[in-house]
Amino acid sequence: MRKTKAKKIAPAPDSKYNDALVTRFVNNLMWEGKKNTAFTIFYDAMDRVSKTTNENGYEIWKKALSNVTPAVEVRSRRIGGATFQIPTEVRPDRKISLSIKWLIRYSRERNGRSMAEKLANEIVAAAKGEGAAFKKKEDTHRMAEANKAFSHFKV
């Protein structure tokens, strides 16, 4: 076991919006180390969001992220031979991580020509409170609510 906890290195802020969260999003979006391609996809998606909503794409993206961010999740815990789904609060860092991963995952599963188009559509849907990523958050909350009876088994 290590003596001290490893320091978290914050990602450098991106050049256009000067936001480290954008870099974190792009790092999750990136495949095979192609960061420039990922940034191109993200910025193109922001332009598409701006065109479709006639609002600032960056603000819509932030709203979409906050709409998709979960507050509680269920964790499996084995007690006396039975496995219980125990609702727990999500750590702040994990909240952001989950919302980013869900947005990217469900935009990849969408129908569309380019990744930028699919990402833009998912962002717009999530900002409105629709779409698969938002549904995932709702399902997670619903599962936690259904298993509230087991919350005294906290991990």
Side-chain angles (χ1 to χ4, degrees):
M1 195 146 176
R2 65 178 354 157
K3 291 180 184 176
T4 57
K5 199 170 186 178
K7 289 190 180 88
K8 277 265 190 191
I9 301 170
D14 74 305
S15 57
K16 191 172 181 180
Y17 299 110
N18 199 28
D19 188 359
L21 190 60
V22 171
T23 307
R24 194 168 163 186
F25 189 88
V26 168
N27 286 346
N28 276 279
L29 184 63
M30 175 173 56
W31 263 349
E32 297 179 353
K34 299 199 175 275
K35 197 173 224 169
N36 279 336
T37 307
F39 267 115
T40 306
I41 289 169
F42 180 77
Y43 291 143
D44 190 21
M46 291 300 98
D47 293 340
R48 286 172 189 261
V49 168
S50 299
K51 283 178 189 160
T52 54
T53 60
N54 295 323
E55 293 178 48
N56 186 358
Y58 175 68
E59 295 300 323
I60 297 288
W61 171 74
K62 287 193 89 134
K63 184 179 176 191
L65 261 186
S66 66
N67 280 358
V68 173
T69 303
V72 286
E73 66 180 342
V74 288
R75 295 207 156 178
S76 297
R77 177 131 187 243
R78 212 169 145 78
I79 299 163
T83 306
F84 294 104
Q85 299 279 45
I86 300 165
T88 52
E89 269 189 50
V90 188
R91 292 187 326 258
D93 197 45
R94 184 166 161 76
K95 280 182 183 183
I96 297 164
S97 185
L98 284 173
S99 58
I100 288 172
K101 286 173 185 171
W102 290 346
L103 260 179
I104 292 169
R105 175 182 163 197
Y106 290 111
S107 54
R108 282 198 176 119
E109 291 175 6
R110 263 180 177 267
N111 293 329
R113 188 169 288 272
S114 68
M115 183 56 196
E117 183 185 325
K118 295 192 278 189
L119 181 61
N121 290 339
E122 188 65 36
I123 287 169
V124 170
K128 288 180 186 172
E130 304 166 357
F134 186 77
K135 187 179 181 301
K136 174 72 172 173
K137 175 208 165 184
E138 292 294 306
D139 291 346
T140 305
H141 279 226
R142 207 172 296 117
M143 281 202 31
E145 185 66 30
N147 290 295
K148 203 166 56 175
F150 305 121
S151 60
H152 63 281
F153 288 133
K154 283 267 192 277
V155 179

Short mmCIF file of all heavy atoms in Angstrom, two decimals, residues 27-63:
data_model
loop_
_atom_site.label_atom_id
_atom_site.label_comp_id
_atom_site.label_asym_id
_atom_site.label_seq_id
_atom_site.Cartn_x
_atom_site.Cartn_y
_atom_site.Cartn_z
N ASN A 27 -10.64 14.34 -24.37
CA ASN A 27 -9.80 13.18 -24.04
C ASN A 27 -10.63 11.90 -24.02
O ASN A 27 -10.14 10.83 -24.39
CB ASN A 27 -9.10 13.38 -22.70
CG ASN A 27 -7.96 14.36 -22.78
OD1 ASN A 27 -7.52 14.71 -23.86
ND2 ASN A 27 -7.49 14.81 -21.64
N ASN A 28 -11.87 12.00 -23.58
CA ASN A 28 -12.76 10.83 -23.59
C ASN A 28 -13.27 10.51 -25.00
O ASN A 28 -13.53 9.37 -25.33
CB ASN A 28 -13.95 11.05 -22.66
CG ASN A 28 -13.63 10.70 -21.23
OD1 ASN A 28 -13.65 9.55 -20.86
ND2 ASN A 28 -13.28 11.70 -20.44
N LEU A 29 -13.41 11.56 -25.80
CA LEU A 29 -13.90 11.42 -27.18
C LEU A 29 -12.82 10.83 -28.09
O LEU A 29 -13.13 10.14 -29.07
CB LEU A 29 -14.30 12.80 -27.70
CG LEU A 29 -14.92 12.94 -29.07
CD1 LEU A 29 -16.25 12.21 -29.12
CD2 LEU A 29 -15.14 14.42 -29.39
N MET A 30 -11.57 11.06 -27.73
CA MET A 30 -10.43 10.68 -28.56
C MET A 30 -10.28 9.17 -28.72
O MET A 30 -10.48 8.42 -27.77
CB MET A 30 -9.17 11.27 -27.91
CG MET A 30 -7.86 10.89 -28.54
SD MET A 30 -6.48 11.77 -27.84
CE MET A 30 -6.58 11.41 -26.11
N TRP A 31 -9.91 8.76 -29.94
CA TRP A 31 -9.59 7.37 -30.24
C TRP A 31 -8.19 7.29 -30.79
O TRP A 31 -7.77 8.12 -31.60
CB TRP A 31 -10.56 6.81 -31.28
CG TRP A 31 -11.70 6.05 -30.69
CD1 TRP A 31 -11.84 5.63 -29.40
CD2 TRP A 31 -12.88 5.59 -31.36
NE1 TRP A 31 -13.02 4.97 -29.22
CE2 TRP A 31 -13.68 4.93 -30.41
CE3 TRP A 31 -13.34 5.70 -32.65
CZ2 TRP A 31 -14.90 4.35 -30.74
CZ3 TRP A 31 -14.56 5.13 -32.97
CH2 TRP A 31 -15.33 4.46 -32.02
N GLU A 32 -7.43 6.27 -30.33
CA GLU A 32 -6.09 5.98 -30.83
C GLU A 32 -5.14 7.18 -30.76
O GLU A 32 -4.30 7.36 -31.64
CB GLU A 32 -6.16 5.43 -32.26
CG GLU A 32 -6.90 4.11 -32.34
CD GLU A 32 -7.01 3.56 -33.75
OE1 GLU A 32 -6.62 4.27 -34.70
OE2 GLU A 32 -7.50 2.44 -33.89
N GLY A 33 -5.29 8.01 -29.74
CA GLY A 33 -4.38 9.13 -29.53
C GLY A 33 -4.54 10.28 -30.49
O GLY A 33 -3.68 11.16 -30.54
N LYS A 34 -5.61 10.31 -31.25
CA LYS A 34 -5.82 11.37 -32.25
C LYS A 34 -6.58 12.54 -31.62
O LYS A 34 -7.77 12.71 -31.81
CB LYS A 34 -6.56 10.81 -33.46
CG LYS A 34 -5.79 9.70 -34.15
CD LYS A 34 -6.27 9.48 -35.55
CE LYS A 34 -5.43 8.46 -36.26
NZ LYS A 34 -4.24 9.01 -36.85
N LYS A 35 -5.83 13.35 -30.88
CA LYS A 35 -6.44 14.45 -30.12
C LYS A 35 -6.91 15.58 -31.03
O LYS A 35 -7.96 16.16 -30.80
CB LYS A 35 -5.45 14.98 -29.09
CG LYS A 35 -6.11 15.81 -28.01
CD LYS A 35 -5.11 16.15 -26.95
CE LYS A 35 -5.75 15.95 -25.59
NZ LYS A 35 -4.82 16.02 -24.50
N ASN A 36 -6.12 15.91 -32.06
CA ASN A 36 -6.53 16.97 -32.98
C ASN A 36 -7.83 16.63 -33.68
O ASN A 36 -8.70 17.50 -33.85
CB ASN A 36 -5.44 17.24 -34.02
CG ASN A 36 -4.35 18.13 -33.47
OD1 ASN A 36 -4.58 18.89 -32.52
ND2 ASN A 36 -3.16 18.05 -34.04
N THR A 37 -7.97 15.38 -34.09
CA THR A 37 -9.22 14.93 -34.72
C THR A 37 -10.38 15.07 -33.73
O THR A 37 -11.46 15.52 -34.10
CB THR A 37 -9.08 13.46 -35.17
OG1 THR A 37 -7.92 13.34 -35.98
CG2 THR A 37 -10.29 13.02 -35.96
N ALA A 38 -10.14 14.68 -32.48
CA ALA A 38 -11.18 14.78 -31.46
C ALA A 38 -11.58 16.23 -31.22
O ALA A 38 -12.77 16.54 -31.08
CB ALA A 38 -10.70 14.14 -30.16
N PHE A 39 -10.59 17.14 -31.17
CA PHE A 39 -10.90 18.56 -31.01
C PHE A 39 -11.70 19.08 -32.20
O PHE A 39 -12.65 19.86 -32.03
CB PHE A 39 -9.62 19.39 -30.84
CG PHE A 39 -9.23 19.61 -29.40
CD1 PHE A 39 -8.05 19.07 -28.90
CD2 PHE A 39 -10.03 20.35 -28.54
CE1 PHE A 39 -7.70 19.26 -27.56
CE2 PHE A 39 -9.68 20.56 -27.22
CZ PHE A 39 -8.52 20.01 -26.74
N THR A 40 -11.33 18.64 -33.41
CA THR A 40 -12.06 19.05 -34.62
C THR A 40 -13.51 18.61 -34.54
O THR A 40 -14.42 19.39 -34.84
CB THR A 40 -11.39 18.45 -35.87
OG1 THR A 40 -10.01 18.80 -35.88
CG2 THR A 40 -12.04 18.95 -37.14
N ILE A 41 -13.72 17.35 -34.11
CA ILE A 41 -15.08 16.82 -33.97
C ILE A 41 -15.87 17.65 -32.96
O ILE A 41 -17.01 18.05 -33.21
CB ILE A 41 -15.04 15.33 -33.55
CG1 ILE A 41 -14.54 14.47 -34.70
CG2 ILE A 41 -16.41 14.86 -33.07
CD1 ILE A 41 -14.21 13.04 -34.30
N PHE A 42 -15.24 17.95 -31.81
CA PHE A 42 -15.92 18.69 -30.75
C PHE A 42 -16.30 20.10 -31.20
O PHE A 42 -17.43 20.53 -31.03
CB PHE A 42 -15.06 18.75 -29.49
CG PHE A 42 -15.70 19.50 -28.36
CD1 PHE A 42 -16.70 18.91 -27.60
CD2 PHE A 42 -15.33 20.80 -28.06
CE1 PHE A 42 -17.31 19.60 -26.57
CE2 PHE A 42 -15.93 21.50 -27.04
CZ PHE A 42 -16.92 20.90 -26.29
N TYR A 43 -15.34 20.81 -31.79
CA TYR A 43 -15.61 22.19 -32.22
C TYR A 43 -16.63 22.23 -33.35
O TYR A 43 -17.49 23.13 -33.39
CB TYR A 43 -14.32 22.89 -32.65
CG TYR A 43 -13.36 23.16 -31.51
CD1 TYR A 43 -11.99 23.05 -31.68
CD2 TYR A 43 -13.82 23.54 -30.25
CE1 TYR A 43 -11.10 23.31 -30.64
CE2 TYR A 43 -12.96 23.78 -29.20
CZ TYR A 43 -11.60 23.67 -29.41
OH TYR A 43 -10.73 23.91 -28.37
N ASP A 44 -16.58 21.25 -34.24
CA ASP A 44 -17.57 21.16 -35.32
C ASP A 44 -18.96 20.90 -34.72
O ASP A 44 -19.95 21.50 -35.15
CB ASP A 44 -17.19 20.03 -36.28
CG ASP A 44 -18.04 20.03 -37.54
OD1 ASP A 44 -18.62 21.09 -37.87
OD2 ASP A 44 -18.11 18.97 -38.21
N ALA A 45 -19.02 20.04 -33.71
CA ALA A 45 -20.30 19.77 -33.03
C ALA A 45 -20.83 21.03 -32.37
O ALA A 45 -22.04 21.31 -32.42
CB ALA A 45 -20.12 18.66 -32.01
N MET A 46 -19.94 21.83 -31.75
CA MET A 46 -20.37 23.08 -31.11
C MET A 46 -20.95 24.04 -32.15
O MET A 46 -21.95 24.72 -31.89
CB MET A 46 -19.19 23.75 -30.39
CG MET A 46 -18.70 23.04 -29.16
SD MET A 46 -19.94 22.85 -27.86
CE MET A 46 -20.49 21.20 -28.14
N ASP A 47 -20.32 24.11 -33.33
CA ASP A 47 -20.83 24.97 -34.41
C ASP A 47 -22.21 24.50 -34.87
O ASP A 47 -23.12 25.32 -35.08
CB ASP A 47 -19.87 24.97 -35.60
CG ASP A 47 -18.54 25.64 -35.26
OD1 ASP A 47 -18.51 26.42 -34.28
OD2 ASP A 47 -17.54 25.39 -35.97
N ARG A 48 -22.37 23.18 -34.98
CA ARG A 48 -23.67 22.63 -35.39
C ARG A 48 -24.75 22.92 -34.35
O ARG A 48 -25.88 23.24 -34.70
CB ARG A 48 -23.57 21.12 -35.62
CG ARG A 48 -22.85 20.73 -36.88
CD ARG A 48 -22.64 19.23 -36.92
NE ARG A 48 -21.77 18.84 -38.01
CZ ARG A 48 -22.22 18.36 -39.17
NH1 ARG A 48 -23.51 18.22 -39.37
NH2 ARG A 48 -21.37 18.03 -40.11
N VAL A 49 -24.39 22.80 -33.08
CA VAL A 49 -25.34 23.10 -31.99
C VAL A 49 -25.75 24.57 -32.06
O VAL A 49 -26.93 24.90 -31.92
CB VAL A 49 -24.72 22.76 -30.61
CG1 VAL A 49 -25.56 23.32 -29.48
CG2 VAL A 49 -24.58 21.25 -30.45
N SER A 50 -24.78 25.46 -32.30
CA SER A 50 -25.07 26.90 -32.41
C SER A 50 -26.04 27.18 -33.56
O SER A 50 -26.96 27.99 -33.41
CB SER A 50 -23.78 27.68 -32.65
OG SER A 50 -22.89 27.52 -31.59
N LYS A 51 -25.81 26.50 -34.69
CA LYS A 51 -26.68 26.72 -35.86
C LYS A 51 -28.10 26.23 -35.62
O LYS A 51 -29.06 26.89 -36.00
CB LYS A 51 -26.09 26.03 -37.08
CG LYS A 51 -24.93 26.78 -37.69
CD LYS A 51 -24.35 26.02 -38.87
CE LYS A 51 -23.05 26.68 -39.31
NZ LYS A 51 -22.24 25.76 -40.12
N THR A 52 -28.24 25.05 -35.00
CA THR A 52 -29.57 24.48 -34.82
C THR A 52 -30.38 25.19 -33.74
O THR A 52 -31.59 25.31 -33.86
CB THR A 52 -29.52 22.97 -34.49
OG1 THR A 52 -28.67 22.77 -33.36
CG2 THR A 52 -29.01 22.16 -35.66
N THR A 53 -29.70 25.67 -32.67
CA THR A 53 -30.44 26.27 -31.56
C THR A 53 -30.42 27.80 -31.59
O THR A 53 -31.16 28.44 -30.83
CB THR A 53 -29.86 25.82 -30.21
OG1 THR A 53 -28.49 26.22 -30.14
CG2 THR A 53 -29.99 24.33 -30.03
N ASN A 54 -29.58 28.39 -32.43
CA ASN A 54 -29.39 29.85 -32.49
C ASN A 54 -28.96 30.41 -31.14
O ASN A 54 -29.30 31.54 -30.78
CB ASN A 54 -30.66 30.55 -32.99
CG ASN A 54 -30.98 30.19 -34.42
OD1 ASN A 54 -30.08 30.03 -35.24
ND2 ASN A 54 -32.26 30.04 -34.73
N GLU A 55 -28.25 29.61 -30.37
CA GLU A 55 -27.69 30.03 -29.09
C GLU A 55 -26.22 29.64 -29.06
O GLU A 55 -25.73 28.99 -29.97
CB GLU A 55 -28.44 29.35 -27.93
CG GLU A 55 -29.88 29.79 -27.77
CD GLU A 55 -30.58 29.05 -26.64
OE1 GLU A 55 -30.01 28.97 -25.55
OE2 GLU A 55 -31.69 28.55 -26.88
N ASN A 56 -25.53 30.01 -27.98
CA ASN A 56 -24.12 29.67 -27.83
C ASN A 56 -23.98 28.16 -27.62
O ASN A 56 -24.52 27.61 -26.66
CB ASN A 56 -23.52 30.44 -26.64
CG ASN A 56 -22.03 30.24 -26.51
OD1 ASN A 56 -21.41 29.50 -27.26
ND2 ASN A 56 -21.46 30.92 -25.53
N GLY A 57 -23.25 27.49 -28.52
CA GLY A 57 -23.09 26.04 -28.47
C GLY A 57 -22.42 25.57 -27.20
O GLY A 57 -22.77 24.53 -26.63
N TYR A 58 -21.45 26.35 -26.72
CA TYR A 58 -20.71 26.01 -25.51
C TYR A 58 -21.64 26.00 -24.29
O TYR A 58 -21.58 25.09 -23.46
CB TYR A 58 -19.57 27.02 -25.32
CG TYR A 58 -18.79 26.87 -24.05
CD1 TYR A 58 -17.98 25.78 -23.83
CD2 TYR A 58 -18.85 27.87 -23.06
CE1 TYR A 58 -17.24 25.66 -22.66
CE2 TYR A 58 -18.12 27.75 -21.90
CZ TYR A 58 -17.32 26.65 -21.69
OH TYR A 58 -16.61 26.53 -20.54
N GLU A 59 -22.52 26.99 -24.21
CA GLU A 59 -23.49 27.06 -23.10
C GLU A 59 -24.47 25.89 -23.16
O GLU A 59 -24.83 25.32 -22.12
CB GLU A 59 -24.25 28.40 -23.11
CG GLU A 59 -23.37 29.61 -22.85
CD GLU A 59 -22.66 29.56 -21.50
OE1 GLU A 59 -23.26 29.08 -20.51
OE2 GLU A 59 -21.50 30.00 -21.44
N ILE A 60 -24.91 25.55 -24.35
CA ILE A 60 -25.83 24.42 -24.53
C ILE A 60 -25.14 23.13 -24.10
O ILE A 60 -25.74 22.28 -23.43
CB ILE A 60 -26.29 24.30 -26.01
CG1 ILE A 60 -27.07 25.55 -26.43
CG2 ILE A 60 -27.12 23.05 -26.24
CD1 ILE A 60 -28.44 25.69 -25.84
N TRP A 61 -23.85 22.99 -24.44
CA TRP A 61 -23.08 21.80 -24.06
C TRP A 61 -22.97 21.69 -22.54
O TRP A 61 -23.16 20.62 -21.98
CB TRP A 61 -21.69 21.86 -24.71
CG TRP A 61 -20.74 20.81 -24.24
CD1 TRP A 61 -20.77 19.48 -24.56
CD2 TRP A 61 -19.65 20.98 -23.33
NE1 TRP A 61 -19.74 18.83 -23.91
CE2 TRP A 61 -19.04 19.72 -23.17
CE3 TRP A 61 -19.12 22.08 -22.67
CZ2 TRP A 61 -17.93 19.53 -22.36
CZ3 TRP A 61 -18.01 21.89 -21.86
CH2 TRP A 61 -17.43 20.63 -21.71
N LYS A 62 -22.71 22.83 -21.88
CA LYS A 62 -22.61 22.82 -20.41
C LYS A 62 -23.95 22.44 -19.79
O LYS A 62 -24.01 21.69 -18.81
CB LYS A 62 -22.14 24.18 -19.90
CG LYS A 62 -20.66 24.43 -20.18
CD LYS A 62 -20.15 25.61 -19.42
CE LYS A 62 -19.68 25.15 -18.09
NZ LYS A 62 -18.40 25.65 -17.66
N LYS A 63 -25.04 22.96 -20.37
CA LYS A 63 -26.38 22.64 -19.88
C LYS A 63 -26.67 21.15 -20.07
O LYS A 63 -27.22 20.49 -19.19
CB LYS A 63 -27.42 23.49 -20.61
CG LYS A 63 -28.82 23.31 -20.10
CD LYS A 63 -29.80 24.18 -20.84
CE LYS A 63 -31.20 23.91 -20.36
NZ LYS A 63 -32.22 24.54 -21.21
#
